[in-house]
Structures are given as C-alpha cells and as structure tokens.
Amino acid sequence: MTSYRDAALFLALAAVWGSAFAAIKAGLNAGFEPVLFAAVRYDVAGVLMLAYAAHAADDWLPRTRADWTVVAVGAVFLIAAYHAFLFVGEQHTTSAVAAVVVSLSPVLTTGFARALLPSERLSAVGLAGLALGLVGVAVLSDPDLSNLLDGGTVGVLLVFAAAACFAFGSVLTQRVDDGLDVETMEAWSMLGGAALMHAASVAVGETQTIPASTDALVALAYLSVASSAAGFLVYFELLDRLGPIEINLVSYVAPVFAAVVGFLALGEPITANVVAGFLVIFAGFCLLKRRALAAELRSVRTTWG
C-alpha cells in the first residue's frame, strides 16, 4: 500500500511543480524583480510551514549541530541558490527551455550521488533509463535550439546552475545524520533561504517593491502555498524514503502536467511531440523501475491467480 501512496504523492508533486514554471513567468511578466520574487515567495511559505511544524512536529526548533547543518544545506542549495538562479534565468529564456534544463537534475544528482552516496549508484541500465527520460523531456518541450544557442545562452547557464545546486543539495542532505522532522527542516530552510535571497536582492540593486496587480499576487500565492509549502513537504517526505535519484525524476514528469494544464486552462494544443515525449519518458521509468515493476506484477498475479 505504501508504494501506491508514494506514487500518488509523486504525481501530485509533479503536477504542482510542473505548473510552477508558468506561475514564475506570470509573476515576472507582472513586474516582480526575480530574486525579490523568489524571496517573498519563501517568506510566505516559510511562515506557513513554521506554523505547521509547531503543530505537527515533535520539535519545531532545530537543536543540535547536525540539525542546523541540514537546515543550512537546505537554505543555501535547495532554496536560495536554486530559486535565485532559476528566477533570474527565466527572464532570459522560455519556460520550455528552462524545464528541459531543470530536467538535468536527476542526471546531475546521479553524478553527485556516485561521489557522495555509494549506495545510490545506478547500473548501466538505470543510467540508460535516466538518459531516455531526458530525451523524452526534450521531445515533449520541443525547445528552439537557435534561441537556446544564441540570445538565451545566459538564461540557460543560470538555470543549469540552479539545477546543479538543487541536485547537490539533495544528495548532501542525505549525508547529514540529523533528527529533524521534515516539517521543521523545511520551515527553517525556507526562512533561511528567503533571508539569503533578500540580502542578494538588495546587493544586486533590485527595486524593493511588490507589484499589486492581480496576476502578480495570484502567482505569488500559488507558488508560496501549493508549489513551495505543500510541494516541498511532499518532496522531503519522498526524498527520505526514495533517495535523491528517484525523487528528482519528478522533473521528467512535471512537463507532462504542464502540457495538460496548458491545454485545459489556456487552450494550448497537445501535439505529437507531447505524446511522443510522454511515451519516451514512460519507457525511461520502466527501465529505472524494472525490478520494482516486475515484483509488482508478480504480486498482482499471485493475488488474482
């Protein structure tokens, strides 16, 4: 039963994170400064999560050096560095290209895990599954290579830096032997990351003004509550059970949900690229989870046989 619950949580996370690229773009188009936008997003999300941690966690405050270490890793890499680079990068490139670059996270995570977490190493077939998933995301997103190689180069490099920071942080949190509840770790990482981004926003000379338009406030609310507070709670729960390689595969599934949301909400067509990309992604997952799928099939046959 736990495996089905994990699958449902994984799909929910892909849905909210897949639609986050459009919400970021909407907020930037509405006049938000990028680093300030990311910082305010986590001001709101951090306060919400701290209130939830005080209610749900055994201890809402980090106590030990290990506790504060894992909070610092989360604040620096998973929150501040990842989102500052991502928000600035999306100013200079399209959401589709950003999604493709962010989908490199599982590949980068595999490289970091091979160096830092030997137990997380993948076989050659598993690595082929990762590569196939990346190909599927590229087919689905259908990026404009001329823009990627010309005017969007700076944006692509910034988003790549974001993906690298997130992958490294995901692996590094697994090396720290802390006793924090997920809610507490998430809340303090968000607040610490927000503080770092506010400092960076001032340092780079951004205008410290929050746009009052409906589009800006709706984008901020969605990113703060759904994508950040709820999304990261699910992410850290699955990270603890699945490990950094498997959970970061969410970046392969998120563009599928982005395409469906675009069709239903904006009337964007689901093209042959979308269908082909989804099938290639599914094939990559089958390679990665071949043993688990085979075990599940045996279990079903035994149950119904």
Side-chain angles (χ1 to χ4, degrees):
M1 187 65 72
T2 301
S3 61
Y4 293 112
R5 180 175 180 273
D6 288 349
L9 289 174
F10 184 93
L11 291 175
L13 181 61
V16 295
W17 280 5
S19 53
F21 288 102
I24 291 171
K25 201 71 174 180
L28 293 173
N29 290 340
F32 258 115
E33 297 275 16
V35 182
L36 178 65
F37 188 14
V40 174
R41 167 186 179 178
Y42 282 101
D43 287 334
V44 177
V47 170
L48 290 175
M49 283 310 305
L50 187 59
Y52 181 74
H55 169 73
D58 293 332
D59 192 348
W60 64 274
L61 185 65
R63 302 288 181 182
T64 67
R65 178 180 296 181
D67 291 347
W68 285 110
T69 297
V70 78
V71 166
V73 170
V76 172
F77 293 103
L78 300 180
I79 303 299
Y82 171 71
H83 290 91
F85 282 130
L86 177 62
F87 277 53
V88 175
E90 278 215 45
Q91 285 190 312
H92 305 286
T93 190
T94 66
S95 295
V97 171
V100 171
V101 178
V102 168
S103 72
L104 289 170
S105 289
V107 177
L108 297 172
T109 300
T110 303
F112 289 129
R114 281 179 174 272
L116 301 175
L117 298 174
S119 63
E120 289 285 347
R121 292 179 178 178
L122 291 175
S123 65
V125 177
L127 290 172
L130 283 170
L132 199 55
L134 181 59
V135 170
V137 172
V139 171
L140 185 149
S141 300
D142 193 21
D144 187 338
L145 294 179
S146 63
N147 287 338
L148 187 149
L149 296 174
D150 296 330
T153 300
V154 172
V156 169
L157 291 176
L158 288 169
V159 177
F160 178 83
C165 289
F166 196 88
F168 182 71
S170 297
V171 174
L172 205 56
T173 59
Q174 298 300 291
R175 287 183 58 88
V176 181
D177 186 16
D178 67 284
L180 278 181
D181 291 306
V182 171
E183 301 88 350
T184 302
M185 184 270 191
E186 180 180 350
W188 287 100
S189 292
M190 287 180 173
L191 292 172
L196 291 172
M197 288 187 288
H198 275 296
S201 176
V202 172
V204 299
E206 289 186 345
T207 302
Q208 301 299 300
T209 303
I210 298 175
S213 68
T214 300
D215 287 347
L217 297 178
V218 169
L220 176 61
Y222 180 80
L223 289 170
S224 300
V225 178
S227 182
S228 299
F232 270 93
L233 182 62
V234 173
Y235 172 81
F236 284 120
E237 181 176 346
L238 292 178
L239 176 63
D240 186 55
R241 291 209 296 269
L242 302 180
I245 294 175
E246 289 191 39
I247 185 54
N248 277 347
L249 289 172
V250 72
S251 61
Y252 286 152
V253 184
V256 177
F257 283 94
V260 173
V261 171
F263 174 75
L264 294 177
L266 304 174
E268 297 174 344
I270 297 179
T271 65
N273 291 85
V274 173
V275 176
F278 177 80
L279 293 175
V280 175
I281 291 169
F282 181 73
F285 270 105
C286 288
L287 281 178
L288 282 163
K289 303 296 292 182
R290 62 196 182 281
R291 293 188 180 91
L293 288 171
E296 188 67 22
L297 286 173
R298 286 194 297 269
S299 176
V300 170
R301 288 172 181 170
T302 301
T303 301
W304 294 97

